[in-house]
Amino acid sequence: MGFKGILKEIVAESGGLGGVIMGYDGIAIDEYLREGTGVDVQTMTIEYASVLKEIKRTVGVLKTGELEEVSIITEKCCIIVRGISDDFFAALVLPSDGNFGKARFLLKRAAPGFRESLQ
Amino acid sequence: MGFKGILKEIVAESGGLGGVIMGYDGIAIDEYLREGTGVDVQTMTIEYASVLKEIKRTVGVLKTGELEEVSIITEKCCIIVRGISDDFFAALVLPSDGNFGKARFLLKRAAPGFRESLQ
């Protein structure tokens, strides 16, 4: 199963809106976007990519080890990001009633597979 | 009980390293730092403040409602941030074996009190 298939499974199981494998430069490798959600998951992940690059830089300055996970929760939705390599991350966008805990768990479980596929 | 007292309680209950009420400009209103942890919580929160400002700006661009919570997890520690007003946030730093879920819960529960005290 490719990236899209795994992302689709995670999105379905967590009640998500979409998932993406993306570079910190904002260019996606692959993505799965649920249709008709009214949320522009693509724009969201691209906008957050530059923020994530800044977070990664700060983590490097602070020397507290590799960046593992970032989550940003707003009133209407939340994004969970897991670093999979120096250049790429996996991100999942959830509505405010999505299963945050399950999404975190599923993304964490899928990360080693994503990492291997990128090597 | 002032900010410091509440932060101290949250730090103790979640196994945290320190907590702070800070402006997005990196200037702390109050803080409680557990001694002898070997982690510079102060530097960490100041460094992250500028990242949080950038996250807040991005959230504004995306129009997905107010920023509620940000968490950044690295190998050695994690920071949980809760927005309490347009200018201030509460942040908690945990070691990797800290109780992430409890820290999130306690910070969320304390936020309205922090908000009121700032008005």
Side-chain angles (χ1 to χ4, degrees), chain A residues 44 47-48 51 55 58-59 62-66 68-77 100 104, chain B residues 44 47-48 51 55 58-59 62-66 68-77 100 104:
Chain A
M44 194 176 290
E47 282 288 338
Y48 278 126
V51 171
I55 292 175
T58 305
V59 168
L62 293 170
K63 297 188 174 58
T64 57
E66 284 295 302
E68 295 185 346
E69 190 189 289
V70 176
S71 56
I72 301 170
I73 304 175
T74 66
E75 276 173 285
K76 292 183 196 155
C77 57
F100 178 73
R104 283 187 70 211
Chain B
M44 194 175 290
E47 282 288 338
Y48 278 126
V51 171
I55 293 176
T58 305
V59 168
L62 294 170
K63 296 188 173 59
T64 57
E66 286 294 302
E68 293 185 347
E69 190 189 290
V70 176
S71 56
I72 300 170
I73 303 174
T74 65
E75 275 173 286
K76 291 183 199 157
C77 57
F100 178 72
R104 281 188 69 211

Side-chain angles (χ1 to χ4, degrees), chain B residues 7 20 24 30 37 47 65 68 85 91-93 98 104-105 108 110:
Chain B
L7 291 170
V20 62
Y24 288 98
D30 214 341
T37 62
E47 282 288 338
E68 293 185 347
S85 80
L92 203 71
V93 177
R104 281 188 69 211
F105 166 73
K108 187 175 181 175

Side-chain angles (χ1 to χ4, degrees), chain B residues 11-37:
Chain B
V11 166
E13 281 189 56
S14 62
L17 302 169
V20 62
I21 308 284
M22 186 176 263
Y24 288 98
D25 56 4
I27 299 172
I29 294 186
D30 214 341
E31 59 193 6
Y32 168 74
L33 310 174
R34 230 177 72 199
E35 279 174 39
T37 62

Side-chain angles (χ1 to χ4, degrees), chain A residues 20-33:
Chain A
V20 63
I21 307 284
M22 186 175 265
Y24 288 98
D25 55 5
I27 298 172
I29 294 185
D30 214 342
E31 59 192 6
Y32 168 73
L33 309 174

